[in-house]
Amino acid sequence: CDPWLKLLDCPCREVPLDSACCIMKVIGWFTVAALGVLAVSLQGCGSSGESTGGAATTTVTATPAETTVTTTKEITTMTTTSTTANMTGPVACLCVFDIDRTLTGKQGEAGACPGNQELSGVNDTAYGGGTLVLSKVGQSLEGTFCATKGCYVGVVSAGDGSGDKSAERAELVKRLGASGAKLASEEWCGPSSKGEARATCQGFDVTSPLVVGCVDGTKQYAVKGIMAWIAKTEKVTLKDEDVYHFDDRANNISPFSGFGFNAIEISCASRDKSQ
């Protein structure tokens, strides 16, 4: 009698039907074994987090007529942490810059201001005009918290950035949108979006983060408008304390009092007092 038949408790007869029966039993045994291995393996599965719980127990009972698999497993409690890609985390901030003498420097004086860079062939119409000179931050936000924290960035300026479709505006857009900061739109808005026409920005409908033509003393309203635009288009609500405005004139800083924003005057020592 075939020893395999004895092992499987099969009849020792040379009958095809019995052989087929034994083959089915072999398949059944292998299935049971595979299920047992799978159940044990699943107990070791998890995710990056902390887990507590008992081990799984798998009981396999086989008889000549049937095979029964009973699996019991204790409940496992798992705590995981995940990071959601949204703007309420490290990028929930806004940095807004004036243009003239903040992102730019005095024309013709690049050599007198260490780190400033003159861009040959690019015109800057502000304060009498000349070749565009970029300040350090105008050249790149790299290394600033505005870039490392992935903040939204924008512009609020009394000037018009040399007018609609100017090379200066294109240069500012290119550099503001680099280095990790988030420029959410490249469109320009404001009273002077199509050319010099400055007016108060109180009550002005801000439709992008690049606002030009706000008369001095009203820039805080444009900053608030940028926040509202970001909330509407980006679905991000910024806190007042996470909003920063940088400007070179004291009369554009003091009006921010009471708004809850961070308004910072720059270039105090090197500023051209005649302007």
Side-chain angles (χ1 to χ4, degrees), residues 178-199:
S179 304
K182 183 177 177 62
L183 182 61
S185 173
E186 297 182 1
E187 298 297 318
W188 293 78
C189 71
S192 298
S193 60
K194 300 301 180 183
E196 178 58 55
R198 69 184 67 186

Side-chain angles (χ1 to χ4, degrees), residues 98-162:
D98 169 50
I99 294 178
D100 303 317
R101 303 297 199 269
T102 300
L103 292 178
T104 70
K106 185 177 181 180
Q107 302 96 320
E109 296 290 335
C113 299
N116 280 12
Q117 178 185 20
E118 184 174 281
L119 300 185
S120 179
V122 180
N123 189 43
D124 177 8
T125 60
Y127 294 118
T131 300
L132 177 64
V133 173
L134 293 177
S135 65
K136 287 183 179 180
V137 76
Q139 295 168 48
S140 174
L141 294 176
E142 185 175 0
T144 68
F145 76 89
C146 301
T148 58
K149 293 178 66 175
C151 296
Y152 284 100
V153 289
V155 161
V156 172
S157 177
D160 66 353
S162 297

Side-chain angles (χ1 to χ4, degrees), residues 37-81:
V37 171
L38 177 61
V40 174
S41 297
L42 286 175
Q43 174 62 18
C45 294
S47 60
S48 57
E50 299 173 359
S51 65
T52 59
T57 301
T58 303
T59 303
V60 180
T61 305
T63 66
E66 61 180 359
T67 301
T68 304
V69 180
T70 305
T71 302
T72 60
K73 185 176 182 180
E74 292 182 16
I75 296 175
T76 299
T77 302
M78 184 171 293
T79 303
T80 60
T81 58

Side-chain angles (χ1 to χ4, degrees), residues 196-217:
E196 178 58 55
R198 69 184 67 186
T200 179
C201 277
Q202 184 174 7
F204 191 88
D205 184 22
V206 173
T207 57
S208 88
L210 302 171
V211 189
V212 286
C214 296
V215 295
D216 293 332

Side-chain angles (χ1 to χ4, degrees), residues 5 10-22:
L5 299 182
C10 290
C12 295
R13 297 195 302 269
E14 297 295 330
V15 180
L17 183 60
D18 293 330
S19 298
C21 172
C22 291

